[in-house]
């Protein structure tokens, strides 16, 4: 592995551990949605790592489809999170759930129907793999991504404005600024630069997902009395079982 893929795998691993820490601390709806958000961010990073490592260009397109679908889930579940974070009932209507989830279902179907819906061709350069984008479809994809992110921050800002105490405002402040850093740099390297013809730095986007994942994790855990020792033990046991399973699969 090269430094790019190593960083991507490390980012996905650290994000997943933070997600498990939050989920094992309290299994409420907010934490579950947060964990799903992290799952898609981790799959995005892992997909890009395998894209970089893949030597067959035909397979590389399928892998690219995978990480573009994974990236779709990030704004979807961030929007969901923005609607329920710090809400007393912690739920939204089934109609709104459907409206939020429907785009990821439709986009996934499009990728299954046409593997070239975003990427027409993979090309080898001296620095790695370059791509030829389907510009119209990519523009629609970008507009969708930006729209969901904008709606998410609109919801978070409304929550911040109506927050009744300093604790809630601090939680929301961590989430807004931490995720803004991740989305800003992630979109520069993985949405805007590719559209301008620069695919060389595509691996950098997922690295900034740590800012999003860590800020939300800190906000959730900072103001809740989680039993850190119990959670850490559960996570270590979980990682151990995963390690044993991988060893069994590799030995077979």
């Amino acid at each position: 592995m090269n430094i790019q893929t190593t960083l991507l795998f490390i980012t996905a691993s650290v994000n997943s551990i933070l997600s498990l820490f939050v989920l094992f601390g309290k299994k409420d709806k907010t934490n579950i949605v947060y964990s799903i958000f992290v799952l898609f961010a981790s799959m995005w990073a892992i997909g890009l790592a395998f894209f970089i490592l893949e030597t067959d260009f035909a397979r590389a397109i399928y892998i690219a489809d995978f990480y573009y679908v994974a990236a779709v889930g990030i704004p979807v579940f961030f929007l969901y999170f923005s609607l329920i974070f710090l809400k007393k009932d912690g739920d939204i209507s089934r109609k709104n759930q459907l409206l939020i989830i429907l785009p990821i279902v439709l986009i996934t179907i499009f990728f299954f129907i046409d593997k070239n819906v975003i990427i027409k061709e993979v090309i080898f350069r001296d620095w790695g793999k370059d791509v030829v984008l389907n510009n119209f479809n990519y523009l629609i994809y970008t507009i969708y991504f930006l729209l969901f992110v904008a709606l998410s921050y609109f919801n978070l800002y409304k929550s911040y404005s109506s927050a009744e105490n300093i604790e809630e405002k601090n939680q929301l402040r961590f989430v807004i600024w931490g995720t803004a850093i991740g989305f800003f740099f992630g979109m520069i390297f993985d949405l805007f630069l590719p559209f301008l013809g620069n695919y060389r730095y595509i691996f950098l986007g997922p690295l900034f997902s740590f800012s999003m994942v860590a800020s939300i994790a800190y906000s959730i855990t900072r103001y809740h009395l989680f039993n850190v020792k119990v959670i850490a033990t559960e996570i270590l046991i979980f990682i151990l079982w995963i390690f044993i399973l991988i060893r069994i699969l590799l030995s077979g």
Side-chain angles (χ1 to χ4, degrees), residues 1-243:
M1 287 194 299
N2 55 34
I3 185 63
Q4 297 175 354
T5 54
T6 300
L7 289 173
L8 288 167
F9 281 125
I10 290 174
T11 300
S13 300
V14 173
N15 286 351
S16 298
I17 290 172
L18 284 174
S19 173
L20 290 173
F21 182 86
V22 170
L23 188 61
F24 287 157
K26 187 178 181 184
K27 296 180 179 66
D28 62 13
K29 189 155 216 173
T30 299
N31 294 1
I32 292 171
V33 171
Y34 162 75
S35 296
I36 298 173
F37 164 79
V38 176
L39 174 64
F40 278 98
S42 297
M43 290 193 300
W44 175 42
I46 291 171
L48 267 167
F50 279 108
F51 175 80
I52 294 170
L53 292 171
E54 181 57 60
T55 57
D56 183 275
F57 286 1
R59 286 196 298 265
I61 291 180
Y62 286 106
I63 295 173
D65 288 347
F66 170 80
Y67 64 70
Y68 274 113
V69 170
V72 166
I74 297 173
V76 166
F77 285 96
F78 185 59
L79 177 58
Y80 200 144
F81 176 85
S82 73
L83 289 168
I84 64 176
F85 185 52
L86 296 182
K87 299 296 190 298
K88 291 182 173 61
D89 53 5
D91 203 359
I92 59 177
S93 68
R94 291 190 179 276
K95 179 182 177 181
N96 286 337
Q97 289 180 24
L98 179 62
L99 289 175
I100 292 172
I101 301 298
L102 186 59
I104 191 173
V105 175
L106 293 176
I107 291 174
T108 302
I109 292 172
F110 290 147
F111 275 100
F112 272 110
I113 294 174
D114 181 8
K115 68 180 179 66
N116 300 111
V117 65
I118 291 292
I119 294 180
K120 292 181 179 180
E121 186 181 2
V122 177
I123 302 170
F124 181 77
R125 308 287 187 193
D126 56 355
W127 49 262
K129 295 184 187 71
D130 198 359
V131 303
V132 177
L133 294 173
N134 187 328
N135 286 330
F136 178 77
N137 291 345
Y138 190 82
L139 179 62
I140 299 299
Y141 181 94
T142 301
I143 291 172
Y144 147 80
F145 199 100
L146 293 174
L147 176 62
F148 269 54
V149 171
L151 288 173
S152 300
Y153 282 108
F154 176 75
N155 292 329
L156 290 173
Y157 179 75
K158 281 202 311 180
S159 297
Y160 181 84
S161 300
S162 61
E164 298 177 354
N165 56 65
I166 190 65
E167 179 181 304
E168 290 185 351
K169 284 186 177 293
N170 285 337
Q171 285 181 277
L172 286 161
R173 190 179 293 115
F174 278 120
V175 170
I176 290 171
W177 283 106
T179 57
I181 292 171
F183 274 117
F184 177 77
F185 287 103
M187 289 189 295
I188 284 178
F189 292 114
D190 283 51
L191 273 182
F192 302 141
L193 285 183
F195 188 72
L196 296 174
N198 188 340
Y199 216 73
R200 184 171 187 171
Y201 304 105
I202 191 78
F203 74 96
L204 289 174
L207 304 186
F208 290 96
S209 66
F210 175 74
S211 174
M212 298 188 287
V213 172
S215 63
I216 297 176
Y218 180 80
S219 178
I220 291 174
T221 58
R222 173 66 176 80
Y223 299 96
H224 293 82
L225 298 177
F226 287 176
N227 190 326
V228 176
K229 290 184 178 179
V230 172
I231 298 169
T233 301
E234 290 179 345
I235 292 175
L236 286 173
I237 292 173
F238 177 83
I239 294 172
L240 179 61
W241 276 109
I242 294 295
F243 176 75

